[in-house]
Amino acid sequence: MSNPVIVGAARTAVGTANRGTLANTPAEELAVAVLKETVRRSGLDPQRFDDVIFAESMYGGGVLARHAAVAAGMLSVPGQAVNRHCAGSLTAIGAAAASVKSGMESAIIAGGVQSSSLSPKLRQRVPGTTNHFQDPWMPVTHPFQENAPADDMSISVGWNTAQHVGLSRNQMDEWAFRSHQRAIEAIDGGYFEDEIFPITVKNARGELVQFSVDEHPRRGSSLEKLASLRPIHPEIEGFSITAGNASGVNDAAAAVAVTSAELARDEGLSPLATIRAWTAVGVDPALMGMGGVLAIPRALSKAGLEVKDVDVWEINEAFAAVPLAACKELGIDDAIVNIHGSGCSIGHPVAASGARMVNTLIRDLQRRGGGIAVASMCAGGGMGGALVIEV
């Protein structure tokens, strides 16, 4: 079996949905752009790739990966759509790694694309009616709040996780504030420049602009401002989740080129990272945030590693409660978690977030001279995913 390696990695900057720079850029355009750039960075001929696997989340079909392959002139390369909600692009990378490791394929582009600004809205007819529609979602009985809506992430991910492990609002606000500080420091220090490629798009006024800097982190954030925000559910006593300690709603695309170690050697390529392990878990949808916690020991076990072996982490801040819970439950040193921010600051372009995290972690390890990194996140419907890489 061949070791799967990453030979190219790229992402767009992350836009704020509906009012940001990518608000009028369709997912198809983002998909084509990130595919072309990742192929270019890989150093391989575009026709050398066996597949393109892109995550989509509630996109409504169409297989963005195949659309992008055709638009990029890669007519002989098929495309595959993956949906594991927030963990979709981690799953896409894992699927690529599995196919390469098995020997069935030798070169795959994997990642995810999210246009929250323009994605279709999924609806279905309510049984027994002709003109009423609802979002399809998971049946959930919430342990900490009766009659809570099943699809309210602020409850099933944020509040329930905080209640489950005993987190205060102040702890979550402090984490979110630190996330913004770290993201701004990373932007100012140029830490994201190697992973982001500029994309030219039309802004809200129809003007062509170049977009190359994450726009969601808030320079004016403060603990005082975060503390002043109204809870999302003030009717629930003690509710501690606010827009400030939750992730953003965002647009972006991110991908990596996965090949066999042998192909990289034969083509004279220098791998950026080796993919050591990947996994997904299912959890009670009412405790969705714990999916990002429970995926970690499972992935580490598959790699033959322990928490102490990991040099840097990104545990997605779907809500600040998730990385806080992981640190508390697994004994992780929070100083090496989300060292350049995460969902609360950079944002959470759902289907693209996992691949964005892997892009960032590769560069983090390179600056450290190598090591082990873990990307982990919870996912809609009561799931979680994790990926282990080594540089």
Side-chain angles (χ1 to χ4, degrees), residues 276-296:
R276 292 282 303 271
W278 55 92
T279 197
V281 299
V283 298
D284 184 340
L287 289 172
M288 201 178 303
M290 295 303 293
V293 180
L294 299 178
I296 289 171

Side-chain angles (χ1 to χ4, degrees), residues 65-139:
R66 176 56 180 165
H67 173 97
V70 171
M74 299 165 64
L75 300 183
S76 65
V77 182
Q80 181 182 156
V82 169
N83 185 358
R84 191 166 268 143
H85 295 311
C86 309
S89 52
L90 284 186
T91 297
I93 296 170
S99 190
V100 167
K101 194 173 183 68
S102 72
M104 293 296 101
E105 312 287 3
S106 59
I108 299 174
I109 299 292
V113 183
Q114 185 75 28
S115 174
S116 297
S117 296
L118 295 172
S119 63
K121 305 300 181 186
L122 293 183
R123 295 289 187 270
Q124 66 183 20
R125 182 174 59 82
V126 177
T129 71
T130 59
N131 59 353
H132 298 289
F133 293 79
Q134 65 182 14
D135 289 317
W137 200 248
M138 301 291 163

Side-chain angles (χ1 to χ4, degrees), residues 50-280:
D50 300 303
D51 206 353
V52 179
I53 308 175
F54 278 169
E56 311 174 4
S57 182
M58 303 183 77
Y59 182 71
V63 189
L64 288 172
R66 176 56 180 165
H67 173 97
V70 171
M74 299 165 64
L75 300 183
S76 65
V77 182
Q80 181 182 156
V82 169
N83 185 358
R84 191 166 268 143
H85 295 311
C86 309
S89 52
L90 284 186
T91 297
I93 296 170
S99 190
V100 167
K101 194 173 183 68
S102 72
M104 293 296 101
E105 312 287 3
S106 59
I108 299 174
I109 299 292
V113 183
Q114 185 75 28
S115 174
S116 297
S117 296
L118 295 172
S119 63
K121 305 300 181 186
L122 293 183
R123 295 289 187 270
Q124 66 183 20
R125 182 174 59 82
V126 177
T129 71
T130 59
N131 59 353
H132 298 289
F133 293 79
Q134 65 182 14
D135 289 317
W137 200 248
M138 301 291 163
V140 177
T141 301
H142 289 283
F144 303 108
Q145 179 64 31
E146 294 183 3
N147 302 317
D151 60 349
D152 192 324
M153 297 292 184
S154 70
I155 295 175
S156 57
V157 180
W159 172 243
N160 288 354
T161 301
Q163 292 291 97
H164 183 66
V165 302
L167 302 173
S168 68
R169 172 168 173 177
N170 186 59
Q171 286 176 294
M172 291 184 283
D173 284 351
E174 286 182 345
W175 186 283
F177 177 56
R178 187 186 76 166
S179 180
H180 282 283
Q181 286 183 308
R182 289 183 165 187
I184 293 297
E185 288 172 359
I187 290 170
D188 291 347
Y191 291 116
F192 298 145
E193 291 178 0
D194 287 345
E195 61 199 70
I196 294 175
F197 66 97
I199 181 172
T200 301
V201 300
K202 285 187 178 180
N203 63 17
R205 294 184 296 276
E207 303 164 336
L208 286 176
V209 297
Q210 190 177 79
F211 185 50
S212 60
V213 179
D214 297 322
E215 65 186 3
H216 200 72
R218 300 181 187 92
R219 290 184 179 274
S221 182
S222 68
L223 280 173
E224 292 73 23
K225 287 183 179 180
L226 290 172
S228 71
L229 294 176
R230 182 173 180 264
I232 294 173
H233 286 288
E235 75 280 5
I236 298 176
E237 184 179 355
F239 198 80
S240 55
I241 307 303
T242 72
N245 55 40
S247 63
V249 181
N250 301 94
D251 307 322
V256 298
V258 181
T259 75
S260 66
E262 290 79 8
L263 176 62
R265 180 198 62 214
D266 293 345
E267 294 288 338
L269 307 178
S270 299
L272 303 175
T274 299
I275 301 173
R276 292 282 303 271
W278 55 92
T279 197

Side-chain angles (χ1 to χ4, degrees), residues 258-348:
V258 181
T259 75
S260 66
E262 290 79 8
L263 176 62
R265 180 198 62 214
D266 293 345
E267 294 288 338
L269 307 178
S270 299
L272 303 175
T274 299
I275 301 173
R276 292 282 303 271
W278 55 92
T279 197
V281 299
V283 298
D284 184 340
L287 289 172
M288 201 178 303
M290 295 303 293
V293 180
L294 299 178
I296 289 171
R298 182 180 172 95
L300 287 175
S301 175
K302 290 176 181 292
L305 299 169
E306 300 177 12
V307 166
K308 64 179 177 62
D309 298 318
V310 179
D311 297 289
V312 64
W313 306 75
E314 188 167 343
I315 304 169
N316 185 44
E317 297 159 357
F319 292 83
V322 178
L324 275 164
C327 291
K328 185 172 183 178
E329 294 290 288
L330 302 177
I332 299 172
D333 178 3
D334 67 19
I336 56 172
V337 177
N338 303 355
I339 63 174
H340 298 315
S342 188
C344 286
S345 54
I346 296 171
H348 183 17

